PDB file of all heavy atoms in Angstrom:
ATOM      1  N   ASP A   1      -5.840  -6.084  -0.980  1.00 98.00           N
ATOM      2  CA  ASP A   1      -6.197  -7.318  -1.689  1.00 98.00           C
ATOM      3  C   ASP A   1      -6.243  -7.089  -3.190  1.00 98.00           C
ATOM      4  O   ASP A   1      -5.815  -7.927  -3.988  1.00 98.00           O
ATOM      5  CB  ASP A   1      -7.570  -7.832  -1.214  1.00 98.00           C
ATOM      6  CG  ASP A   1      -7.545  -8.278   0.247  1.00 98.00           C
ATOM      7  OD1 ASP A   1      -6.541  -8.883   0.663  1.00 98.00           O
ATOM      8  OD2 ASP A   1      -8.523  -8.016   0.959  1.00 98.00           O
ATOM      9  N   ALA A   2      -6.763  -5.927  -3.612  1.00 98.00           N
ATOM     10  CA  ALA A   2      -6.834  -5.595  -5.043  1.00 98.00           C
ATOM     11  C   ALA A   2      -5.432  -5.424  -5.637  1.00 98.00           C
ATOM     12  O   ALA A   2      -5.171  -5.845  -6.765  1.00 98.00           O
ATOM     13  CB  ALA A   2      -7.645  -4.327  -5.246  1.00 98.00           C
ATOM     14  N   ILE A   3      -4.537  -4.823  -4.869  1.00 98.00           N
ATOM     15  CA  ILE A   3      -3.157  -4.649  -5.344  1.00 98.00           C
ATOM     16  C   ILE A   3      -2.495  -6.010  -5.539  1.00 98.00           C
ATOM     17  O   ILE A   3      -1.853  -6.262  -6.567  1.00 98.00           O
ATOM     18  CB  ILE A   3      -2.367  -3.787  -4.346  1.00 98.00           C
ATOM     19  CG1 ILE A   3      -2.838  -2.326  -4.444  1.00 98.00           C
ATOM     20  CG2 ILE A   3      -0.857  -3.880  -4.594  1.00 98.00           C
ATOM     21  CD1 ILE A   3      -2.270  -1.424  -3.373  1.00 98.00           C
ATOM     22  N   ARG A   4      -2.676  -6.897  -4.575  1.00 98.00           N
ATOM     23  CA  ARG A   4      -2.079  -8.231  -4.672  1.00 98.00           C
ATOM     24  C   ARG A   4      -2.698  -9.053  -5.792  1.00 98.00           C
ATOM     25  O   ARG A   4      -1.984  -9.709  -6.569  1.00 98.00           O
ATOM     26  CB  ARG A   4      -2.199  -8.955  -3.333  1.00 98.00           C
ATOM     27  CG  ARG A   4      -1.256  -8.450  -2.246  1.00 98.00           C
ATOM     28  CD  ARG A   4      -1.298  -9.336  -1.012  1.00 98.00           C
ATOM     29  NE  ARG A   4      -2.542  -9.147  -0.272  1.00 98.00           N
ATOM     30  CZ  ARG A   4      -2.679  -8.302   0.742  1.00 98.00           C
ATOM     31  NH1 ARG A   4      -1.647  -7.562   1.125  1.00 98.00           N
ATOM     32  NH2 ARG A   4      -3.829  -8.202   1.381  1.00 98.00           N
ATOM     33  N   GLU A   5      -4.031  -9.031  -5.878  1.00 98.00           N
ATOM     34  CA  GLU A   5      -4.726  -9.842  -6.889  1.00 98.00           C
ATOM     35  C   GLU A   5      -4.348  -9.449  -8.312  1.00 98.00           C
ATOM     36  O   GLU A   5      -4.250 -10.297  -9.207  1.00 98.00           O
ATOM     37  CB  GLU A   5      -6.239  -9.720  -6.713  1.00 98.00           C
ATOM     38  CG  GLU A   5      -7.056 -10.563  -7.688  1.00 98.00           C
ATOM     39  CD  GLU A   5      -8.530 -10.518  -7.396  1.00 98.00           C
ATOM     40  OE1 GLU A   5      -8.981 -11.262  -6.508  1.00 98.00           O
ATOM     41  OE2 GLU A   5      -9.252  -9.739  -8.049  1.00 98.00           O
ATOM     42  N   ASN A   6      -4.117  -8.152  -8.510  1.00 98.00           N
ATOM     43  CA  ASN A   6      -3.794  -7.657  -9.845  1.00 98.00           C
ATOM     44  C   ASN A   6      -2.295  -7.539 -10.109  1.00 98.00           C
ATOM     45  O   ASN A   6      -1.892  -7.088 -11.192  1.00 98.00           O
ATOM     46  CB  ASN A   6      -4.476  -6.312 -10.080  1.00 98.00           C
ATOM     47  CG  ASN A   6      -5.985  -6.422 -10.169  1.00 98.00           C
ATOM     48  OD1 ASN A   6      -6.526  -6.828 -11.200  1.00 98.00           O
ATOM     49  ND2 ASN A   6      -6.674  -6.077  -9.086  1.00 98.00           N
ATOM     50  N   GLY A   7      -1.478  -7.932  -9.139  1.00 98.00           N
ATOM     51  CA  GLY A   7      -0.029  -7.897  -9.308  1.00 98.00           C
ATOM     52  C   GLY A   7       0.516  -6.510  -9.575  1.00 98.00           C
ATOM     53  O   GLY A   7       1.449  -6.337 -10.369  1.00 98.00           O
ATOM     54  N   LEU A   8      -0.050  -5.514  -8.902  1.00 98.00           N
ATOM     55  CA  LEU A   8       0.337  -4.127  -9.168  1.00 98.00           C
ATOM     56  C   LEU A   8       1.613  -3.739  -8.429  1.00 98.00           C
ATOM     57  O   LEU A   8       1.874  -4.199  -7.322  1.00 98.00           O
ATOM     58  CB  LEU A   8      -0.795  -3.186  -8.760  1.00 98.00           C
ATOM     59  CG  LEU A   8      -2.173  -3.468  -9.370  1.00 98.00           C
ATOM     60  CD1 LEU A   8      -3.211  -2.471  -8.853  1.00 98.00           C
ATOM     61  CD2 LEU A   8      -2.110  -3.440 -10.891  1.00 98.00           C
ATOM     62  N   LYS A   9       2.374  -2.859  -9.049  1.00 98.00           N
ATOM     63  CA  LYS A   9       3.610  -2.336  -8.452  1.00 98.00           C
ATOM     64  C   LYS A   9       3.636  -0.828  -8.614  1.00 98.00           C
ATOM     65  O   LYS A   9       3.081  -0.275  -9.564  1.00 98.00           O
ATOM     66  CB  LYS A   9       4.850  -2.935  -9.142  1.00 98.00           C
ATOM     67  CG  LYS A   9       4.911  -4.464  -9.130  1.00 98.00           C
ATOM     68  CD  LYS A   9       5.147  -5.000  -7.735  1.00 98.00           C
ATOM     69  CE  LYS A   9       5.265  -6.539  -7.751  1.00 98.00           C
ATOM     70  NZ  LYS A   9       5.434  -7.086  -6.392  1.00 98.00           N
ATOM     71  N   ALA A  10       4.298  -0.150  -7.690  1.00 98.00           N
ATOM     72  CA  ALA A  10       4.389   1.304  -7.769  1.00 98.00           C
ATOM     73  C   ALA A  10       5.699   1.796  -7.149  1.00 98.00           C
ATOM     74  O   ALA A  10       6.340   1.083  -6.370  1.00 98.00           O
ATOM     75  CB  ALA A  10       3.209   1.960  -7.072  1.00 98.00           C
ATOM     76  N   GLU A  11       6.066   3.028  -7.546  1.00 98.00           N
ATOM     77  CA  GLU A  11       7.265   3.666  -7.000  1.00 98.00           C
ATOM     78  C   GLU A  11       6.919   4.802  -6.046  1.00 98.00           C
ATOM     79  O   GLU A  11       7.799   5.322  -5.359  1.00 98.00           O
ATOM     80  CB  GLU A  11       8.109   4.207  -8.151  1.00 98.00           C
ATOM     81  CG  GLU A  11       8.599   3.127  -9.107  1.00 98.00           C
ATOM     82  CD  GLU A  11       9.084   3.716 -10.431  1.00 98.00           C
ATOM     83  OE1 GLU A  11       8.243   4.090 -11.265  1.00 98.00           O
ATOM     84  OE2 GLU A  11      10.316   3.801 -10.603  1.00 98.00           O
ATOM     85  N   ILE A  12       5.640   5.185  -6.027  1.00 98.00           N
ATOM     86  CA  ILE A  12       5.178   6.225  -5.106  1.00 98.00           C
ATOM     87  C   ILE A  12       3.710   5.966  -4.813  1.00 98.00           C
ATOM     88  O   ILE A  12       2.978   5.451  -5.675  1.00 98.00           O
ATOM     89  CB  ILE A  12       5.395   7.637  -5.682  1.00 98.00           C
ATOM     90  CG1 ILE A  12       5.123   8.711  -4.616  1.00 98.00           C
ATOM     91  CG2 ILE A  12       4.555   7.878  -6.934  1.00 98.00           C
ATOM     92  CD1 ILE A  12       5.588  10.109  -5.000  1.00 98.00           C
ATOM     93  N   ILE A  13       3.294   6.295  -3.593  1.00 98.00           N
ATOM     94  CA  ILE A  13       1.913   6.035  -3.162  1.00 98.00           C
ATOM     95  C   ILE A  13       1.309   7.295  -2.582  1.00 98.00           C
ATOM     96  O   ILE A  13       1.940   8.009  -1.799  1.00 98.00           O
ATOM     97  CB  ILE A  13       1.865   4.921  -2.088  1.00 98.00           C
ATOM     98  CG1 ILE A  13       2.417   3.601  -2.637  1.00 98.00           C
ATOM     99  CG2 ILE A  13       0.430   4.730  -1.566  1.00 98.00           C
ATOM    100  CD1 ILE A  13       2.574   2.518  -1.557  1.00 98.00           C
ATOM    101  N   TYR A  14       0.052   7.553  -2.982  1.00 98.00           N
ATOM    102  CA  TYR A  14      -0.766   8.581  -2.359  1.00 98.00           C
ATOM    103  C   TYR A  14      -2.029   7.884  -1.854  1.00 98.00           C
ATOM    104  O   TYR A  14      -2.674   7.152  -2.611  1.00 98.00           O
ATOM    105  CB  TYR A  14      -1.162   9.656  -3.364  1.00 98.00           C
ATOM    106  CG  TYR A  14      -0.010  10.411  -3.994  1.00 98.00           C
ATOM    107  CD1 TYR A  14       0.548   9.980  -5.202  1.00 98.00           C
ATOM    108  CD2 TYR A  14       0.517  11.559  -3.395  1.00 98.00           C
ATOM    109  CE1 TYR A  14       1.593  10.694  -5.802  1.00 98.00           C
ATOM    110  CE2 TYR A  14       1.563  12.264  -3.979  1.00 98.00           C
ATOM    111  CZ  TYR A  14       2.099  11.821  -5.180  1.00 98.00           C
ATOM    112  OH  TYR A  14       3.132  12.513  -5.755  1.00 98.00           O
ATOM    113  N   ALA A  15      -2.419   8.136  -0.601  1.00 98.00           N
ATOM    114  CA  ALA A  15      -3.558   7.395  -0.050  1.00 98.00           C
ATOM    115  C   ALA A  15      -4.359   8.245   0.910  1.00 98.00           C
ATOM    116  O   ALA A  15      -3.823   9.110   1.622  1.00 98.00           O
ATOM    117  CB  ALA A  15      -3.080   6.131   0.659  1.00 98.00           C
ATOM    118  N   CYS A  16      -5.671   7.976   0.943  1.00 96.00           N
ATOM    119  CA  CYS A  16      -6.580   8.635   1.889  1.00 96.00           C
ATOM    120  C   CYS A  16      -7.659   7.648   2.271  1.00 96.00           C
ATOM    121  O   CYS A  16      -8.235   6.972   1.405  1.00 96.00           O
ATOM    122  CB  CYS A  16      -7.201   9.879   1.251  1.00 96.00           C
ATOM    123  SG  CYS A  16      -8.287  10.795   2.386  1.00 96.00           S
ATOM    124  N   GLY A  17      -7.930   7.544   3.581  1.00 95.00           N
ATOM    125  CA  GLY A  17      -8.957   6.609   4.017  1.00 95.00           C
ATOM    126  C   GLY A  17      -8.900   6.365   5.511  1.00 95.00           C
ATOM    127  O   GLY A  17      -8.190   7.056   6.242  1.00 95.00           O
ATOM    128  N   PRO A  18      -9.622   5.350   5.962  1.00 93.00           N
ATOM    129  CA  PRO A  18      -9.657   5.050   7.403  1.00 93.00           C
ATOM    130  C   PRO A  18      -8.311   4.571   7.918  1.00 93.00           C
ATOM    131  O   PRO A  18      -7.482   4.051   7.161  1.00 93.00           O
ATOM    132  CB  PRO A  18     -10.728   3.958   7.494  1.00 93.00           C
ATOM    133  CG  PRO A  18     -10.783   3.353   6.137  1.00 93.00           C
ATOM    134  CD  PRO A  18     -10.484   4.445   5.171  1.00 93.00           C
ATOM    135  N   THR A  19      -8.111   4.752   9.201  1.00 93.00           N
ATOM    136  CA  THR A  19      -6.818   4.449   9.818  1.00 93.00           C
ATOM    137  C   THR A  19      -6.331   3.009   9.571  1.00 93.00           C
ATOM    138  O   THR A  19      -5.151   2.804   9.253  1.00 93.00           O
ATOM    139  CB  THR A  19      -6.854   4.746  11.320  1.00 93.00           C
ATOM    140  OG1 THR A  19      -7.122   6.140  11.504  1.00 93.00           O
ATOM    141  CG2 THR A  19      -5.546   4.398  11.998  1.00 93.00           C
ATOM    142  N   PRO A  20      -7.165   1.974   9.712  1.00 95.00           N
ATOM    143  CA  PRO A  20      -6.658   0.611   9.466  1.00 95.00           C
ATOM    144  C   PRO A  20      -6.109   0.438   8.052  1.00 95.00           C
ATOM    145  O   PRO A  20      -5.081  -0.230   7.854  1.00 95.00           O
ATOM    146  CB  PRO A  20      -7.898  -0.267   9.691  1.00 95.00           C
ATOM    147  CG  PRO A  20      -8.739   0.509  10.626  1.00 95.00           C
ATOM    148  CD  PRO A  20      -8.566   1.939  10.227  1.00 95.00           C
ATOM    149  N   MET A  21      -6.760   1.043   7.068  1.00 96.00           N
ATOM    150  CA  MET A  21      -6.273   0.983   5.694  1.00 96.00           C
ATOM    151  C   MET A  21      -4.938   1.690   5.565  1.00 96.00           C
ATOM    152  O   MET A  21      -3.990   1.168   4.962  1.00 96.00           O
ATOM    153  CB  MET A  21      -7.291   1.614   4.744  1.00 96.00           C
ATOM    154  CG  MET A  21      -6.922   1.500   3.266  1.00 96.00           C
ATOM    155  SD  MET A  21      -7.881   2.608   2.189  1.00 96.00           S
ATOM    156  CE  MET A  21      -6.838   4.082   2.228  1.00 96.00           C
ATOM    157  N   LEU A  22      -4.834   2.880   6.131  1.00 96.00           N
ATOM    158  CA  LEU A  22      -3.582   3.642   6.031  1.00 96.00           C
ATOM    159  C   LEU A  22      -2.449   2.947   6.768  1.00 96.00           C
ATOM    160  O   LEU A  22      -1.298   2.993   6.325  1.00 96.00           O
ATOM    161  CB  LEU A  22      -3.794   5.057   6.589  1.00 96.00           C
ATOM    162  CG  LEU A  22      -4.771   5.948   5.824  1.00 96.00           C
ATOM    163  CD1 LEU A  22      -4.854   7.309   6.488  1.00 96.00           C
ATOM    164  CD2 LEU A  22      -4.352   6.094   4.360  1.00 96.00           C
ATOM    165  N   ARG A  23      -2.768   2.279   7.870  1.00 96.00           N
ATOM    166  CA  ARG A  23      -1.740   1.544   8.602  1.00 96.00           C
ATOM    167  C   ARG A  23      -1.178   0.412   7.743  1.00 96.00           C
ATOM    168  O   ARG A  23       0.032   0.172   7.722  1.00 96.00           O
ATOM    169  CB  ARG A  23      -2.329   1.018   9.902  1.00 96.00           C
ATOM    170  CG  ARG A  23      -1.289   0.459  10.864  1.00 96.00           C
ATOM    171  CD  ARG A  23      -1.932   0.051  12.184  1.00 96.00           C
ATOM    172  NE  ARG A  23      -2.413   1.193  12.940  1.00 96.00           N
ATOM    173  CZ  ARG A  23      -3.666   1.369  13.333  1.00 96.00           C
ATOM    174  NH1 ARG A  23      -4.592   0.466  13.042  1.00 96.00           N
ATOM    175  NH2 ARG A  23      -4.008   2.430  14.037  1.00 96.00           N
ATOM    176  N   ALA A  24      -2.069  -0.285   7.029  1.00 97.00           N
ATOM    177  CA  ALA A  24      -1.629  -1.368   6.146  1.00 97.00           C
ATOM    178  C   ALA A  24      -0.785  -0.835   4.996  1.00 97.00           C
ATOM    179  O   ALA A  24       0.229  -1.439   4.611  1.00 97.00           O
ATOM    180  CB  ALA A  24      -2.836  -2.134   5.626  1.00 97.00           C
ATOM    181  N   ILE A  25      -1.180   0.312   4.445  1.00 98.00           N
ATOM    182  CA  ILE A  25      -0.428   0.910   3.348  1.00 98.00           C
ATOM    183  C   ILE A  25       0.921   1.410   3.836  1.00 98.00           C
ATOM    184  O   ILE A  25       1.947   1.245   3.148  1.00 98.00           O
ATOM    185  CB  ILE A  25      -1.244   2.062   2.730  1.00 98.00           C
ATOM    186  CG1 ILE A  25      -2.474   1.506   2.003  1.00 98.00           C
ATOM    187  CG2 ILE A  25      -0.387   2.888   1.765  1.00 98.00           C
ATOM    188  CD1 ILE A  25      -3.471   2.569   1.573  1.00 98.00           C
ATOM    189  N   GLN A  26       0.946   2.005   5.017  1.00 97.00           N
ATOM    190  CA  GLN A  26       2.200   2.462   5.605  1.00 97.00           C
ATOM    191  C   GLN A  26       3.175   1.298   5.764  1.00 97.00           C
ATOM    192  O   GLN A  26       4.368   1.416   5.446  1.00 97.00           O
ATOM    193  CB  GLN A  26       1.929   3.123   6.955  1.00 97.00           C
ATOM    194  CG  GLN A  26       3.131   3.732   7.638  1.00 97.00           C
ATOM    195  CD  GLN A  26       2.799   4.237   9.021  1.00 97.00           C
ATOM    196  OE1 GLN A  26       2.199   3.517   9.835  1.00 97.00           O
ATOM    197  NE2 GLN A  26       3.163   5.486   9.322  1.00 97.00           N
ATOM    198  N   SER A  27       2.675   0.171   6.258  1.00 97.00           N
ATOM    199  CA  SER A  27       3.508  -1.013   6.444  1.00 97.00           C
ATOM    200  C   SER A  27       4.002  -1.555   5.104  1.00 97.00           C
ATOM    201  O   SER A  27       5.180  -1.892   4.944  1.00 97.00           O
ATOM    202  CB  SER A  27       2.711  -2.098   7.178  1.00 97.00           C
ATOM    203  OG  SER A  27       3.465  -3.277   7.318  1.00 97.00           O
ATOM    204  N   TYR A  28       3.106  -1.600   4.115  1.00 98.00           N
ATOM    205  CA  TYR A  28       3.464  -2.072   2.765  1.00 98.00           C
ATOM    206  C   TYR A  28       4.556  -1.192   2.152  1.00 98.00           C
ATOM    207  O   TYR A  28       5.526  -1.684   1.575  1.00 98.00           O
ATOM    208  CB  TYR A  28       2.210  -2.082   1.884  1.00 98.00           C
ATOM    209  CG  TYR A  28       2.441  -2.354   0.435  1.00 98.00           C
ATOM    210  CD1 TYR A  28       2.541  -3.652  -0.062  1.00 98.00           C
ATOM    211  CD2 TYR A  28       2.553  -1.297  -0.486  1.00 98.00           C
ATOM    212  CE1 TYR A  28       2.743  -3.907  -1.405  1.00 98.00           C
ATOM    213  CE2 TYR A  28       2.753  -1.533  -1.837  1.00 98.00           C
ATOM    214  CZ  TYR A  28       2.848  -2.839  -2.292  1.00 98.00           C
ATOM    215  OH  TYR A  28       3.051  -3.081  -3.642  1.00 98.00           O
ATOM    216  N   ALA A  29       4.395   0.125   2.298  1.00 98.00           N
ATOM    217  CA  ALA A  29       5.378   1.045   1.739  1.00 98.00           C
ATOM    218  C   ALA A  29       6.737   0.891   2.416  1.00 98.00           C
ATOM    219  O   ALA A  29       7.785   0.923   1.752  1.00 98.00           O
ATOM    220  CB  ALA A  29       4.875   2.482   1.889  1.00 98.00           C
ATOM    221  N   SER A  30       6.714   0.694   3.726  1.00 97.00           N
ATOM    222  CA  SER A  30       7.964   0.518   4.463  1.00 97.00           C
ATOM    223  C   SER A  30       8.683  -0.766   4.043  1.00 97.00           C
ATOM    224  O   SER A  30       9.901  -0.755   3.797  1.00 97.00           O
ATOM    225  CB  SER A  30       7.681   0.498   5.954  1.00 97.00           C
ATOM    226  OG  SER A  30       8.858   0.263   6.701  1.00 97.00           O
ATOM    227  N   GLU A  31       7.938  -1.848   3.942  1.00 97.00           N
ATOM    228  CA  GLU A  31       8.526  -3.140   3.576  1.00 97.00           C
ATOM    229  C   GLU A  31       9.101  -3.134   2.172  1.00 97.00           C
ATOM    230  O   GLU A  31      10.095  -3.824   1.887  1.00 97.00           O
ATOM    231  CB  GLU A  31       7.460  -4.245   3.680  1.00 97.00           C
ATOM    232  CG  GLU A  31       7.024  -4.535   5.109  1.00 97.00           C
ATOM    233  CD  GLU A  31       5.803  -5.430   5.165  1.00 97.00           C
ATOM    234  OE1 GLU A  31       5.357  -5.881   4.084  1.00 97.00           O
ATOM    235  OE2 GLU A  31       5.289  -5.677   6.284  1.00 97.00           O
ATOM    236  N   ASN A  32       8.468  -2.340   1.280  1.00 97.00           N
ATOM    237  CA  ASN A  32       8.907  -2.330  -0.110  1.00 97.00           C
ATOM    238  C   ASN A  32       9.702  -1.073  -0.484  1.00 97.00           C
ATOM    239  O   ASN A  32      10.001  -0.857  -1.661  1.00 97.00           O
ATOM    240  CB  ASN A  32       7.684  -2.450  -1.027  1.00 97.00           C
ATOM    241  CG  ASN A  32       7.016  -3.816  -0.923  1.00 97.00           C
ATOM    242  OD1 ASN A  32       7.454  -4.771  -1.560  1.00 97.00           O
ATOM    243  ND2 ASN A  32       5.958  -3.911  -0.124  1.00 97.00           N
ATOM    244  N   HIS A  33      10.041  -0.280   0.527  1.00 97.00           N
ATOM    245  CA  HIS A  33      10.868   0.930   0.342  1.00 97.00           C
ATOM    246  C   HIS A  33      10.267   1.864  -0.716  1.00 97.00           C
ATOM    247  O   HIS A  33      10.949   2.310  -1.652  1.00 97.00           O
ATOM    248  CB  HIS A  33      12.297   0.532  -0.037  1.00 97.00           C
ATOM    249  CG  HIS A  33      12.920  -0.468   0.894  1.00 97.00           C
ATOM    250  ND1 HIS A  33      13.298  -0.142   2.180  1.00 97.00           N
ATOM    251  CD2 HIS A  33      13.185  -1.805   0.736  1.00 97.00           C
ATOM    252  CE1 HIS A  33      13.790  -1.225   2.761  1.00 97.00           C
ATOM    253  NE2 HIS A  33      13.730  -2.246   1.918  1.00 97.00           N
TER     254      HIS A  33
END
């Protein structure tokens, strides 16, 4: 939600946290290559 609200973009992602969060990030990374 914070990424969307602030209109943030990235070319690489590093993440650590609970599984539901990581699953959402994994999906986001896949959709946006």
Side-chain angles (χ1 to χ4, degrees):
D1 294 321
I3 288 172
R4 286 188 287 266
E5 182 174 279
N6 292 282
L8 305 179
K9 304 291 182 183
E11 298 163 284
I12 190 168
I13 299 172
Y14 299 92
C16 182
T19 299
M21 185 195 89
L22 295 180
R23 191 175 291 122
I25 292 170
Q26 184 186 50
S27 177
Y28 172 85
S30 177
E31 292 170 4
N32 292 278
H33 308 289

